[in-house]
Amino acid sequence: SIPEAQREAWKRAQTTGFRGTEGFEKEFVRHVETTLGRSMFNCDENAAYSATSLAFRDRLILDWNRTQQRQTYIDSKRVYYLSLEFLMGRALDNAMLNIGLKDTAKVGLADLGFRIEDIIQQEHDAALGNGGLGRLAACFLDSLASLDFPAWGYGLRYRYGIFKQEIIDGYQMEVPDYWLDFNPWEFPRHDVTVDIQFYGQVRKQTDDTGKTVSVWEGGELVEAVAYDVPIPGYDTPTTNNLRLWSSKASGGEFDFQKFNNGDYESSVADQQRAETISAVLYPNDNLERGKELRLKQQYFWVAASLYDIVRRFKKSKRPWSEFPDQVAIQLNDTHPTLAIVELQRILVDIEGLAWDQAWEIVTSTFGYTNHTVLPEALEKWPVGLVQHLLPRHLQIIYDINLFFLQAVEKAFPDDRDMLRRVSIIEESQPKMVRMAFLAIVGSHKVNGVAELHSDLIKTTIFKDFVEIYGPDKFTNVTNGITPRRWLHQANPRLSELISSRLGGNGFLKDLNGLNKLELLADDKEFRKEWSEIKYANKVRLAKHIKDTMGVTVNPASLFDVQVKRIHEYKRQQLNIFGVIHRYLALKAMKPEERKKQLPRVSIFGGKAAPGYWMAKQIIHLINAVGAVVNKDGDIGDLLKVVFLEDYNVSKAEIICPASDISEHISTAGTEASGTSNMKFVLNGGLIIGTCDGANIEITREIGDNNIFLFGNLAEDVEDLRHTHTYGSHTIDPDLDKVFKEIEKGTFGTPHDFSAMIAAVRDHGDYYLVSDDFHSYIETHKLVDEAYRNQDDWVSKCIISVARMGFFSSDRCINEYAESIWNIEPLAMKDC
Ligand code: GPK
């Protein structure tokens, strides 16, 4: 509908973005001089980062525009990934690599007087997530774009991401992470806004046709404003969108009525209350605390996203029945489950569809991914709270439940207790809405994130639903990681070595291509180059440890790493008790014997939820042990213990390439998948782990002689717990010695650690620390032995990397696309 002459004018003026070094330099200088208002005389590294990012952003947004235009024009099915967390980390390095212009920028920056590594370091992580769940969402976005899938992410634009962790006198302190000061990667869309309603009442009324309709009215409105973050695919022009919603007072900055009446304070207060919704990320991992503001966040984000999705669908003028052919929505955990209810509300109350037709559309549209079986992480909301905040939604939930239970009753007339067990409403005091059950009932597929986990949910928390719906509704999609960030970006030298031997970078987009490396496992020259790279990565981490924590570590030691959120089920306590055991053993040795021992550095990192007292005690013990061991003259380099402050994505990029062995030692059956296990192996490190989550599939892929497994199996956990409670519970004698040493005051005031000890000794040892201790210690001895034979060790590492193809998030996304979303890639033609 745009006249030809106008089109021509637009075309003539079209921006193309830079290609070569000269073009980059021009763009860089232009941004320094105009956007930033500086010059070569006051362009520090931070300004250089800004200018570089803006130059790349300009390029990205052109590809973004073309991608979106093409997707709109072809109008094929899109997938929407709804996640309350996107743990993106830094964007610049990733953008440069994915576009394929890092070398160009490197030369350009050098010409202008900067080292690219220093410039990359300037960026603040986008840390809109807690841990694995949020990082998985970020890996998925990278794969979706790299594989040319038409896909959008929807999330919240938190003003404060996950807090920054400081370690002060051995304790965790939380500092707010204000990351939005300068963020070149987002595009505010002040024209894309949605009014979101809360509270109010529902009125029934009869429409012209005599039908009863529900009208939700009153309450308050909050405005959602869209911020778009371009997601570049690797080696493809496809650039997808991550849309993050920010909240502000509806109807502009102030309520002018109030303002003019002299009620300035309360008009500002209204505005602040609205902005509170997207102000902060809840810092809990694997825990739901049931706070009203969290529910508000969920509805705010879900309602804005659905409005957007429905608006886009309606532009195509298709009938509603085609909605599921055009739209797939994936629920990342139960956090977005209200989307099911909201879509039903839109279709029935606003679009006037009959309940059954609407419900058919809803259930064909949604898929739900479960990430945990831990009971404390399963979301439940008090009925009263939902009623108050979202009165119409509660009615719809009750109706969904009614129809569901009627069908169950019909199918299982003899099982009266079944209705109570599977009801979306838990008949407790107070009554609760069970979000996972609602998510299952409202989706056509439910998946777990590793084989063991997907089996477990079918036999435990969702057992009844397998009976009701049959097994086909439940499936497994084992997690994966993007090899672009976790190999190519984090470990450029290893990536280059591999590429030089495989004859190109193809493995970055088809990770199974790595398997040809297996032929080189015994190649002396290759092993040498491989070891040199590992050593260089360890030197880099050693420097980071020195610079940040002040501890000197010898890069020739075995680096033993456990970095992840601090949680009792992940068992950092088992690790530190093991470290103490090692320390005591070294102390007990004669000097000659001691000299023969293998030097080790135990590296820990991870945040504790601010209200998770036991997790904070674990951090304190690790630091207390470090303080004693690291200055013990008898021990020297034989053992160092380091707690790395503020573990995050950009630090993981330094840590993963530098580990020899990493620890994935959750109580069997508790870690749904784990994804850092994959990152460490892909970077040429071996792992010690329990038979849990994806460790099991990693073992299957790389072979059980290339992994150090220990501990009890998931199937035995329940019985063991039972014996702790009702039998005689004896503590492992070596562990008991460790406890006694702590209680002697060797690591400071014993009382500081009494709860950790009591959890094992007196409170049933729920996480089986004592049961697994012996096997853990023995397995670490095997690690030491194996490490002494470096040739063998390096061969194991090479073989493991060669067999890691399965764990690419590309494989994972292809499985979702085929078995859950039913979508096809849409490659960008040169247009
Ligand atoms: C699971 F339930 C949760 C949660 O609240 N946060 C979180 O990060 C993790 N997860 C699992 O703990 C990991 O095992 C898993 O690999 C990851 O989600 C991604 O699926």
Side-chain angles (χ1 to χ4, degrees):
S1 61
I2 295 173
E4 199 52 39
Q6 265 178 44
R7 270 177 201 273
E8 282 306 313
W10 277 89
K11 271 204 182 133
R12 275 200 307 277
Q14 203 173 44
T15 5
T16 51
F18 70 88
R19 278 175 210 281
T21 307
E22 202 179 313
F24 167 74
E25 291 173 5
K26 268 202 164 130
E27 284 301 288
F28 178 96
V29 171
R30 182 175 69 80
H31 278 300
V32 170
E33 294 186 342
T34 60
T35 318
L36 306 174
R38 295 193 183 211
S39 71
M40 79 164 108
F41 301 106
N42 61 354
C43 183
D44 56 13
E45 285 180 347
N46 197 258
Y49 159 70
S50 302
T52 308
S53 299
L54 290 165
F56 273 90
R57 182 186 79 160
D58 288 352
R59 264 209 57 128
L60 282 189
I61 204 65
L62 295 174
D63 285 341
W64 186 95
N65 268 327
R66 279 193 284 270
T67 306
Q68 299 313 317
Q69 277 162 25
R70 180 158 167 81
Q71 289 179 5
T72 306
Y73 176 73
I74 301 288
D75 199 27
S76 59
K77 185 170 183 176
R78 287 188 176 93
V79 59
Y80 298 100
Y81 198 78
L82 268 56
S83 180
L84 257 193
E85 303 189 8
F86 287 94
L87 195 44
M88 304 296 285
R90 288 178 177 150
L92 175 59
D93 199 5
N94 184 247
M96 295 191 298
L97 288 167
N98 278 17
I99 301 177
L101 287 173
K102 187 170 179 182
D103 290 338
T104 304
K106 186 175 179 171
V107 175
L109 283 168
D111 286 347
L112 298 163
F114 299 98
R115 278 174 28 142
I116 194 166
E117 296 78 20
D118 301 333
I119 300 311
I120 289 167
Q121 300 293 331
Q122 294 295 316
E123 184 171 356
H124 199 109
D125 277 35
L128 306 185
N130 277 286
L133 174 147
R135 182 54 229 177
L136 185 74
C139 283
F140 281 6
L141 292 183
D142 183 78
S143 283
L144 283 162
S146 298
L147 297 170
D148 298 314
F149 282 108
W152 284 48
Y154 275 108
L156 275 183
R157 179 181 179 268
Y158 303 109
R159 190 147 28 104
Y160 297 96
I162 188 67
F163 63 87
K164 193 169 153 2
Q165 178 193 57
E166 288 183 5
I167 301 296
I168 297 177
D169 298 332
Y171 290 94
Q172 165 174 303
M173 298 290 163
E174 298 96 27
V175 179
D177 167 57
Y178 185 76
W179 67 291
L180 288 173
D181 243 356
F182 175 76
N183 176 12
W185 303 105
E186 63 176 13
F187 285 80
R189 304 285 191 193
H190 294 293
D191 54 328
V192 182
T193 62
V194 189
D195 272 331
I196 308 297
Q197 186 179 0
F198 291 104
Y199 310 108
Q201 328 67 50
V202 182
R203 189 165 48 80
K204 297 265 182 224
Q205 80 180 27
T206 316
D207 72 4
D208 314 341
T209 67
K211 207 167 77 176
T212 310
V213 290
S214 298
V215 185
W216 177 22
E217 53 192 19
E220 63 177 52
L221 291 179
V222 177
E223 190 173 271
V225 185
Y227 286 75
D228 289 343
V229 183
I231 308 293
Y234 177 80
D235 194 24
T236 167
T238 298
T239 303
N240 283 338
N241 196 25
L242 169 59
R243 179 158 282 180
L244 302 176
W245 298 104
S246 182
S247 62
K248 67 182 228 187
S250 179
E253 205 106 314
F254 299 109
D255 180 335
F256 278 95
Q257 204 72 41
K258 277 190 183 171
F259 185 64
N260 291 332
N261 290 338
D263 204 354
Y264 176 73
E265 275 177 25
S266 100
S267 70
V268 174
D270 283 353
Q271 183 203 341
Q272 286 183 345
R273 206 152 44 89
E275 286 179 5
T276 301
I277 292 180
S278 61
V280 57
L281 164 75
Y282 276 89
N284 304 313
D285 184 86
N286 271 288
L287 177 73
E288 277 300 331
R289 304 240 294 185
K291 289 272 178 20
E292 173 167 354
L293 182 60
R294 169 83 165 185
L295 188 61
K296 270 188 124 165
Q297 287 187 333
Q298 294 185 350
Y299 181 66
F300 170 81
W301 149 64
V302 146
S305 307
L306 266 183
Y307 185 90
D308 213 40
I309 293 166
V310 167
R311 169 168 62 191
R312 203 166 297 126
F313 172 77
K314 284 175 89 168
K315 275 198 198 148
S316 74
K317 302 257 166 33
R318 293 171 191 259
W320 282 109
S321 58
E322 289 179 20
F323 190 81
D325 304 330
Q326 293 302 106
V327 174
I329 303 178
Q330 191 64 25
L331 307 172
N332 195 26
D333 216 296
T334 53
H335 317 143
T337 301
L338 283 171
I340 289 169
V341 189
E342 176 70 358
L343 183 57
Q344 181 72 2
R345 185 184 76 85
I346 293 171
L347 295 177
V348 172
D349 290 1
I350 299 171
E351 301 295 335
L353 270 65
W355 178 278
D356 288 348
Q357 195 202 346
W359 188 240
E360 175 64 32
I361 291 169
V362 169
T363 52
S364 311
T365 300
F366 288 99
Y368 155 52
T369 306
N370 172 279
H371 294 268
T372 184
V373 293
L374 299 189
E376 64 270 29
L378 296 180
E379 260 189 298
K380 290 175 187 178
W381 290 103
V383 164
L385 177 59
V386 180
Q387 157 86 48
H388 179 58
L389 191 68
L390 304 164
R392 178 58 185 143
H393 293 78
L394 186 70
Q395 291 178 348
I396 294 172
I397 292 170
Y398 266 98
D399 285 344
I400 292 170
N401 196 34
L402 179 71
F403 297 130
F404 167 63
L405 291 181
Q406 280 173 351
V408 173
E409 192 172 24
K410 228 171 132 184
F412 301 87
D414 303 325
D415 192 349
R416 295 300 303 173
D417 195 54
M418 172 83 106
L419 297 183
R420 181 193 59 78
R421 292 199 308 270
V422 302
S423 174
I424 293 168
I425 307 296
E426 181 181 271
E427 296 293 331
S428 46
Q429 232 5 294
K431 289 187 189 179
M432 300 289 241
V433 182
R434 296 158 160 166
M435 301 307 267
F437 291 4
L438 179 54
I440 296 172
V441 174
S443 302
H444 68 286
K445 280 274 180 196
V446 177
N447 76 284
V449 289
E451 271 176 25
L452 174 69
H453 169 67
S454 297
D455 288 344
L456 276 175
I457 60 179
K458 284 200 278 185
T459 51
T460 60
I461 52 178
F462 301 152
K463 185 168 185 277
D464 290 320
F465 290 87
V466 178
E467 275 203 40
I468 293 167
Y469 290 110
D472 291 353
K473 180 159 177 163
F474 296 84
T475 184
N476 170 248
V477 184
T478 298
N479 283 166
I481 56 170
T482 167
R484 273 76 64 180
R485 183 175 293 259
W486 295 113
L487 179 54
H488 192 45
Q489 181 182 323
N491 204 342
R493 283 189 60 190
L494 189 63
S495 181
E496 204 179 292
L497 174 67
I498 293 172
S499 149
S500 75
R501 297 306 169 99
L502 296 185
N505 258 345
F507 64 97
L508 291 174
K509 274 196 122 156
D510 176 9
L511 203 60
N512 286 317
L514 286 176
N515 57 30
K516 292 202 198 69
L517 282 180
E518 211 162 325
L519 300 170
L520 298 169
D522 293 323
D523 178 319
K524 269 215 158 96
E525 182 52 30
F526 186 68
R527 272 205 304 238
K528 186 161 160 272
E529 288 179 54
W530 186 281
S531 308
E532 278 167 9
I533 291 168
K534 178 60 80 180
Y535 190 79
N537 289 333
K538 288 167 74 176
V539 169
R540 179 168 72 148
L541 179 57
K543 179 172 185 317
H544 178 78
I545 291 172
K546 179 79 193 168
D547 293 348
T548 55
M549 309 314 288
V551 181
T552 309
V553 302
N554 180 356
S557 321
L558 187 157
F559 278 19
D560 170 352
V561 182
Q562 189 179 18
V563 285
K564 50 185 83 233
R565 287 299 289 254
I566 311 293
H567 209 298
E568 284 165 281
Y569 89 80
K570 295 179 190 279
R571 298 203 296 191
Q572 284 91 355
Q573 71 276 42
L574 174 60
N575 187 343
I576 193 63
F577 292 152
V579 169
I580 295 173
H581 176 269
R582 176 178 287 265
Y583 175 60
L584 298 179
L586 286 169
K587 289 290 275 187
M589 283 175 200
K590 299 216 171 71
E592 319 75 85
E593 201 191 346
R594 217 180 263 152
K595 269 193 218 123
K596 292 189 225 143
Q597 302 305 307
L598 197 73
R600 230 191 227 239
V601 184
S602 271
I603 298 163
F604 293 81
K607 294 174 188 180
Y612 192 171
W613 188 73
M614 187 71 88
K616 289 183 152 178
Q617 188 160 109
I618 294 172
I619 292 177
H620 185 209
L621 179 59
I622 296 167
N623 282 295
V625 171
V628 172
V629 172
N630 296 346
K631 64 169 203 296
D632 189 327
D634 295 343
I635 300 299
D637 270 357
L638 288 180
L639 183 61
K640 295 279 181 220
V641 182
V642 184
F643 191 95
L644 273 177
E645 193 173 62
D646 199 41
Y647 176 60
N648 61 12
V649 172
S650 56
K651 291 195 178 111
E653 290 167 19
I654 304 174
I655 296 166
C656 291
S659 101
D660 295 307
I661 191 104
S662 65
E663 311 229 359
H664 309 275
I665 58 176
S666 50
T667 311
T670 62
E671 187 72 275
S673 162
T675 42
S676 76
N677 41 9
M678 304 167 191
K679 292 165 198 169
F680 282 103
V681 179
L682 187 61
N683 279 282
L686 299 186
I687 63 183
I688 177 168
T690 43
C691 294
D692 201 16
N695 291 353
I696 296 171
E697 287 153 85
I698 291 175
T699 307
R700 188 165 70 209
E701 293 294 311
I702 69 176
D704 59 7
N705 50 343
N706 296 316
I707 187 168
F708 297 92
L709 290 178
F710 74 96
N712 284 284
L713 301 180
E715 62 206 53
D716 300 323
V717 167
E718 212 179 307
D719 285 350
L720 283 164
R721 280 180 184 155
H722 200 261
T723 58
H724 296 174
T725 320
Y726 300 104
S728 64
H729 182 209
T730 46
I731 300 296
D732 177 276
D734 284 323
L735 181 59
D736 206 52
K737 280 187 204 143
V738 169
F739 288 172
K740 297 220 162 85
E741 196 67 28
I742 296 172
E743 286 168 335
K744 256 169 53 188
T746 305
F747 307 106
T749 320
H751 179 258
D752 287 358
F753 314 114
S754 56
M756 281 176 72
I757 295 175
V760 176
R761 236 195 230 148
D762 313 320
H763 302 142
D765 192 12
Y766 189 77
Y767 296 103
L768 274 54
V769 171
S770 175
D771 304 82
D772 284 348
F773 194 71
H774 182 71
S775 145
Y776 179 62
I777 297 299
E778 290 302 307
T779 307
H780 264 302
K781 288 185 190 153
L782 299 180
V783 172
D784 280 333
E785 264 170 52
Y787 195 72
R788 285 179 189 280
N789 187 342
Q790 271 298 299
D791 279 352
D792 257 22
W793 180 277
V794 177
S795 292
K796 281 177 191 293
C797 295
I798 296 169
I799 291 169
S800 301
V801 171
R803 298 177 181 173
M804 282 297 285
F806 180 76
F807 299 99
S808 168
S809 46
D810 295 350
R811 183 269 311 153
C812 197
I813 286 301
N814 279 321
E815 285 183 16
Y816 277 99
E818 199 180 307
S819 68
I820 301 180
W821 302 332
N822 193 25
I823 59 165
E824 302 278 340
L826 179 64
M828 289 278 294
K829 291 218 196 74
D830 289 328
C831 50

